mmCIF file of all heavy atoms in Angstrom:
data_model
loop_
_atom_site.group_PDB
_atom_site.id
_atom_site.type_symbol
_atom_site.label_atom_id
_atom_site.label_comp_id
_atom_site.label_asym_id
_atom_site.label_seq_id
_atom_site.Cartn_x
_atom_site.Cartn_y
_atom_site.Cartn_z
ATOM 1 N N THR A 1 73.973 86.258 73.852
ATOM 2 C CA THR A 1 73.455 87.058 72.685
ATOM 3 C C THR A 1 71.884 87.040 72.821
ATOM 4 O O THR A 1 71.301 85.998 73.275
ATOM 5 C CB THR A 1 73.804 86.268 71.445
ATOM 6 O OG1 THR A 1 75.319 86.225 71.213
ATOM 7 C CG2 THR A 1 73.373 87.067 70.125
ATOM 8 N N TYR A 2 71.198 88.028 72.447
ATOM 9 C CA TYR A 2 69.857 88.274 72.533
ATOM 10 C C TYR A 2 69.166 88.700 71.262
ATOM 11 O O TYR A 2 69.835 89.617 70.525
ATOM 12 C CB TYR A 2 69.461 89.177 73.692
ATOM 13 C CG TYR A 2 69.881 88.687 74.979
ATOM 14 C CD1 TYR A 2 71.116 89.088 75.616
ATOM 15 C CD2 TYR A 2 69.016 87.862 75.818
ATOM 16 C CE1 TYR A 2 71.542 88.720 76.858
ATOM 17 C CE2 TYR A 2 69.394 87.478 77.013
ATOM 18 C CZ TYR A 2 70.679 87.860 77.527
ATOM 19 O OH TYR A 2 71.066 87.497 78.736
ATOM 20 N N ALA A 3 68.004 88.331 70.965
ATOM 21 C CA ALA A 3 67.127 88.945 69.948
ATOM 22 C C ALA A 3 66.846 90.468 70.245
ATOM 23 O O ALA A 3 66.681 90.834 71.501
ATOM 24 C CB ALA A 3 65.973 88.239 69.743
ATOM 25 N N ASP A 4 66.824 91.215 69.326
ATOM 26 C CA ASP A 4 66.604 92.741 69.664
ATOM 27 C C ASP A 4 65.213 92.910 70.446
ATOM 28 O O ASP A 4 65.219 93.789 71.313
ATOM 29 C CB ASP A 4 66.584 93.400 68.308
ATOM 30 C CG ASP A 4 67.869 93.603 67.718
ATOM 31 O OD1 ASP A 4 68.893 93.500 68.402
ATOM 32 O OD2 ASP A 4 67.933 94.029 66.480
ATOM 33 N N SER A 5 64.265 92.051 70.150
ATOM 34 C CA SER A 5 63.003 92.280 70.781
ATOM 35 C C SER A 5 63.010 91.851 72.350
ATOM 36 O O SER A 5 62.097 92.411 72.975
ATOM 37 C CB SER A 5 61.979 91.337 70.155
ATOM 38 O OG SER A 5 62.188 90.051 70.169
ATOM 39 N N VAL A 6 63.972 91.262 72.860
ATOM 40 C CA VAL A 6 63.963 90.944 74.235
ATOM 41 C C VAL A 6 65.120 91.520 75.045
ATOM 42 O O VAL A 6 65.201 91.366 76.178
ATOM 43 C CB VAL A 6 64.004 89.444 74.436
ATOM 44 C CG1 VAL A 6 62.883 88.634 73.617
ATOM 45 C CG2 VAL A 6 65.306 88.788 74.044
ATOM 46 N N LYS A 7 65.954 92.334 74.319
ATOM 47 C CA LYS A 7 67.208 92.888 75.111
ATOM 48 C C LYS A 7 66.631 93.883 76.265
ATOM 49 O O LYS A 7 65.743 94.570 75.915
ATOM 50 C CB LYS A 7 68.025 93.641 74.117
ATOM 51 C CG LYS A 7 68.856 92.921 73.170
ATOM 52 C CD LYS A 7 69.657 93.615 72.205
ATOM 53 C CE LYS A 7 70.517 92.788 71.375
ATOM 54 N NZ LYS A 7 71.358 93.609 70.451
ATOM 55 N N GLY A 8 67.228 93.714 77.355
ATOM 56 C CA GLY A 8 66.774 94.491 78.453
ATOM 57 C C GLY A 8 65.668 93.938 79.269
ATOM 58 O O GLY A 8 65.410 94.414 80.285
ATOM 59 N N ARG A 9 64.966 92.877 78.744
ATOM 60 C CA ARG A 9 64.027 92.272 79.506
ATOM 61 C C ARG A 9 64.194 90.757 79.853
ATOM 62 O O ARG A 9 63.723 90.439 80.900
ATOM 63 C CB ARG A 9 62.557 92.248 78.540
ATOM 64 C CG ARG A 9 62.184 93.609 78.212
ATOM 65 C CD ARG A 9 60.857 93.664 77.484
ATOM 66 N NE ARG A 9 60.825 92.920 76.297
ATOM 67 C CZ ARG A 9 60.070 91.889 76.011
ATOM 68 N NH1 ARG A 9 59.102 91.434 76.925
ATOM 69 N NH2 ARG A 9 60.049 91.211 74.930
ATOM 70 N N PHE A 10 64.797 90.069 79.004
ATOM 71 C CA PHE A 10 65.218 88.642 79.238
ATOM 72 C C PHE A 10 66.592 88.471 79.533
ATOM 73 O O PHE A 10 67.464 89.221 79.008
ATOM 74 C CB PHE A 10 64.882 87.828 78.041
ATOM 75 C CG PHE A 10 63.456 87.678 77.636
ATOM 76 C CD1 PHE A 10 62.497 88.442 78.343
ATOM 77 C CD2 PHE A 10 63.025 86.777 76.629
ATOM 78 C CE1 PHE A 10 61.042 88.291 77.925
ATOM 79 C CE2 PHE A 10 61.592 86.734 76.267
ATOM 80 C CZ PHE A 10 60.701 87.365 77.016
ATOM 81 N N THR A 11 67.002 87.548 80.358
ATOM 82 C CA THR A 11 68.336 87.178 80.638
ATOM 83 C C THR A 11 68.532 85.576 80.729
ATOM 84 O O THR A 11 67.769 84.887 81.325
ATOM 85 C CB THR A 11 68.753 87.700 82.125
ATOM 86 O OG1 THR A 11 68.505 89.051 82.246
ATOM 87 C CG2 THR A 11 70.176 87.301 82.374
ATOM 88 N N ILE A 12 69.478 85.160 79.902
ATOM 89 C CA ILE A 12 69.933 83.841 79.827
ATOM 90 C C ILE A 12 71.097 83.502 80.702
ATOM 91 O O ILE A 12 71.995 84.451 80.780
ATOM 92 C CB ILE A 12 70.115 83.297 78.434
ATOM 93 C CG1 ILE A 12 70.289 81.799 78.282
ATOM 94 C CG2 ILE A 12 71.312 84.064 77.825
ATOM 95 C CD1 ILE A 12 70.367 81.295 76.825
ATOM 96 N N SER A 13 71.032 82.370 81.398
ATOM 97 C CA SER A 13 72.155 81.955 82.296
ATOM 98 C C SER A 13 72.320 80.535 82.264
ATOM 99 O O SER A 13 71.399 79.806 81.848
ATOM 100 C CB SER A 13 71.926 82.545 83.646
ATOM 101 O OG SER A 13 70.797 82.033 84.265
ATOM 102 N N ARG A 14 73.440 80.000 82.775
ATOM 103 C CA ARG A 14 73.542 78.490 82.948
ATOM 104 C C ARG A 14 74.197 78.120 84.110
ATOM 105 O O ARG A 14 75.056 78.894 84.705
ATOM 106 C CB ARG A 14 74.208 78.023 81.530
ATOM 107 C CG ARG A 14 75.744 78.462 81.528
ATOM 108 C CD ARG A 14 76.253 78.099 80.102
ATOM 109 N NE ARG A 14 76.478 76.709 79.973
ATOM 110 C CZ ARG A 14 76.959 76.015 78.803
ATOM 111 N NH1 ARG A 14 76.972 76.907 77.744
ATOM 112 N NH2 ARG A 14 77.073 74.753 78.795
ATOM 113 N N ASP A 15 73.933 76.849 84.660
ATOM 114 C CA ASP A 15 74.598 76.281 85.735
ATOM 115 C C ASP A 15 75.218 74.997 85.189
ATOM 116 O O ASP A 15 74.577 73.972 84.943
ATOM 117 C CB ASP A 15 73.560 76.044 86.843
ATOM 118 C CG ASP A 15 74.174 75.392 88.022
ATOM 119 O OD1 ASP A 15 75.200 74.936 88.028
ATOM 120 O OD2 ASP A 15 73.547 75.573 89.109
ATOM 121 N N ASN A 16 76.401 75.129 84.972
ATOM 122 C CA ASN A 16 77.161 74.022 84.441
ATOM 123 C C ASN A 16 77.131 72.753 85.247
ATOM 124 O O ASN A 16 77.148 71.686 84.697
ATOM 125 C CB ASN A 16 78.609 74.394 84.002
ATOM 126 C CG ASN A 16 78.760 75.395 82.930
ATOM 127 O OD1 ASN A 16 77.873 75.477 82.076
ATOM 128 N ND2 ASN A 16 79.789 76.168 82.956
ATOM 129 N N ALA A 17 77.330 72.852 86.534
ATOM 130 C CA ALA A 17 77.189 71.742 87.359
ATOM 131 C C ALA A 17 75.878 70.987 87.300
ATOM 132 O O ALA A 17 75.910 69.720 87.632
ATOM 133 C CB ALA A 17 77.398 72.173 88.851
ATOM 134 N N LYS A 18 74.765 71.621 86.848
ATOM 135 C CA LYS A 18 73.457 70.997 86.752
ATOM 136 C C LYS A 18 73.062 70.752 85.307
ATOM 137 O O LYS A 18 71.963 70.191 84.997
ATOM 138 C CB LYS A 18 72.396 71.837 87.456
ATOM 139 C CG LYS A 18 72.712 72.055 89.016
ATOM 140 C CD LYS A 18 71.584 72.912 89.501
ATOM 141 C CE LYS A 18 71.609 72.932 91.111
ATOM 142 N NZ LYS A 18 70.636 73.771 91.690
ATOM 143 N N ASN A 19 74.000 71.035 84.456
ATOM 144 C CA ASN A 19 73.628 71.045 82.994
ATOM 145 C C ASN A 19 72.235 71.701 82.711
ATOM 146 O O ASN A 19 71.523 71.187 81.965
ATOM 147 C CB ASN A 19 73.640 69.492 82.579
ATOM 148 C CG ASN A 19 74.953 68.949 82.316
ATOM 149 O OD1 ASN A 19 75.997 69.790 82.077
ATOM 150 N ND2 ASN A 19 75.095 67.685 82.498
ATOM 151 N N THR A 20 72.104 72.784 83.264
ATOM 152 C CA THR A 20 70.879 73.504 83.167
ATOM 153 C C THR A 20 70.994 74.948 82.560
ATOM 154 O O THR A 20 71.986 75.608 83.090
ATOM 155 C CB THR A 20 70.207 73.670 84.508
ATOM 156 O OG1 THR A 20 69.979 72.247 84.868
ATOM 157 C CG2 THR A 20 68.844 74.373 84.472
ATOM 158 N N VAL A 21 70.136 75.386 81.771
ATOM 159 C CA VAL A 21 70.031 76.836 81.259
ATOM 160 C C VAL A 21 68.803 77.348 81.710
ATOM 161 O O VAL A 21 67.709 76.655 81.789
ATOM 162 C CB VAL A 21 70.241 76.844 79.826
ATOM 163 C CG1 VAL A 21 69.169 76.162 78.983
ATOM 164 C CG2 VAL A 21 70.359 78.260 79.304
ATOM 165 N N TYR A 22 68.756 78.618 82.039
ATOM 166 C CA TYR A 22 67.605 79.357 82.463
ATOM 167 C C TYR A 22 67.268 80.559 81.494
ATOM 168 O O TYR A 22 68.277 81.050 80.946
ATOM 169 C CB TYR A 22 67.739 79.917 83.946
ATOM 170 C CG TYR A 22 68.169 78.972 84.971
ATOM 171 C CD1 TYR A 22 69.504 78.624 85.239
ATOM 172 C CD2 TYR A 22 67.146 78.184 85.531
ATOM 173 C CE1 TYR A 22 69.835 77.649 86.126
ATOM 174 C CE2 TYR A 22 67.568 77.095 86.520
ATOM 175 C CZ TYR A 22 68.817 76.952 86.783
ATOM 176 O OH TYR A 22 69.225 76.063 87.760
ATOM 177 N N LEU A 23 66.017 80.995 81.497
ATOM 178 C CA LEU A 23 65.637 82.176 80.694
ATOM 179 C C LEU A 23 64.641 82.935 81.767
ATOM 180 O O LEU A 23 63.654 82.536 81.971
ATOM 181 C CB LEU A 23 64.953 81.924 79.497
ATOM 182 C CG LEU A 23 64.582 83.111 78.778
ATOM 183 C CD1 LEU A 23 65.906 83.749 78.110
ATOM 184 C CD2 LEU A 23 63.671 82.788 77.506
ATOM 185 N N GLN A 24 65.239 83.951 82.340
ATOM 186 C CA GLN A 24 64.501 84.898 83.148
ATOM 187 C C GLN A 24 63.764 85.916 82.246
ATOM 188 O O GLN A 24 64.507 86.636 81.520
ATOM 189 C CB GLN A 24 65.378 85.670 84.117
ATOM 190 C CG GLN A 24 64.641 86.692 85.150
ATOM 191 C CD GLN A 24 63.724 86.003 86.015
ATOM 192 O OE1 GLN A 24 64.053 84.991 86.705
ATOM 193 N NE2 GLN A 24 62.484 86.463 86.056
ATOM 194 N N MET A 25 62.540 85.911 82.361
ATOM 195 C CA MET A 25 61.763 86.745 81.336
ATOM 196 C C MET A 25 60.896 87.805 82.290
ATOM 197 O O MET A 25 60.043 87.481 83.067
ATOM 198 C CB MET A 25 60.691 85.964 80.657
ATOM 199 C CG MET A 25 61.341 84.651 79.980
ATOM 200 S SD MET A 25 60.167 83.408 79.438
ATOM 201 C CE MET A 25 59.375 84.275 78.028
ATOM 202 N N ASN A 26 61.249 89.100 82.021
ATOM 203 C CA ASN A 26 60.541 90.129 82.759
ATOM 204 C C ASN A 26 60.021 91.074 81.776
ATOM 205 O O ASN A 26 60.173 91.072 80.621
ATOM 206 C CB ASN A 26 61.714 90.959 83.566
ATOM 207 C CG ASN A 26 62.383 90.157 84.653
ATOM 208 O OD1 ASN A 26 61.805 89.273 85.272
ATOM 209 N ND2 ASN A 26 63.657 90.497 84.835
ATOM 210 N N SER A 27 58.983 91.875 82.235
ATOM 211 C CA SER A 27 58.297 92.824 81.575
ATOM 212 C C SER A 27 57.613 92.093 80.424
ATOM 213 O O SER A 27 57.752 92.683 79.109
ATOM 214 C CB SER A 27 59.142 94.032 81.168
ATOM 215 O OG SER A 27 59.703 94.696 82.311
ATOM 216 N N LEU A 28 56.874 91.096 80.682
ATOM 217 C CA LEU A 28 56.373 90.274 79.475
ATOM 218 C C LEU A 28 55.274 91.052 78.753
ATOM 219 O O LEU A 28 54.501 91.797 79.465
ATOM 220 C CB LEU A 28 55.944 88.930 79.951
ATOM 221 C CG LEU A 28 57.060 87.920 80.280
ATOM 222 C CD1 LEU A 28 56.519 86.835 81.219
ATOM 223 C CD2 LEU A 28 57.482 87.341 78.893
ATOM 224 N N GLU A 29 55.197 90.750 77.485
ATOM 225 C CA GLU A 29 54.187 91.360 76.613
ATOM 226 C C GLU A 29 53.436 90.434 75.897
ATOM 227 O O GLU A 29 53.912 89.243 75.752
ATOM 228 C CB GLU A 29 54.937 92.350 75.552
ATOM 229 C CG GLU A 29 55.884 93.343 76.175
ATOM 230 C CD GLU A 29 56.755 93.949 75.105
ATOM 231 O OE1 GLU A 29 56.770 93.525 73.973
ATOM 232 O OE2 GLU A 29 57.499 94.947 75.564
#
């Protein structure tokens, strides 16, 4: 789920084996 302001620019993902979550932030303003 994403906030409207970041849809199409940010991507959240997770690596369960590492208990880690990422936020890829593109086209930053």
Side-chain angles (χ1 to χ4, degrees):
T1 302
Y2 297 94
D4 288 342
S5 61
V6 307
K7 286 181 179 177
R9 299 190 298 122
F10 293 5
T11 303
I12 188 171
S13 61
R14 63 190 292 173
D15 184 337
N16 291 333
K18 297 181 179 180
N19 286 332
T20 299
V21 64
Y22 305 95
L23 186 67
Q24 179 65 47
M25 310 168 72
N26 298 327
S27 301
L28 283 161
E29 304 168 352

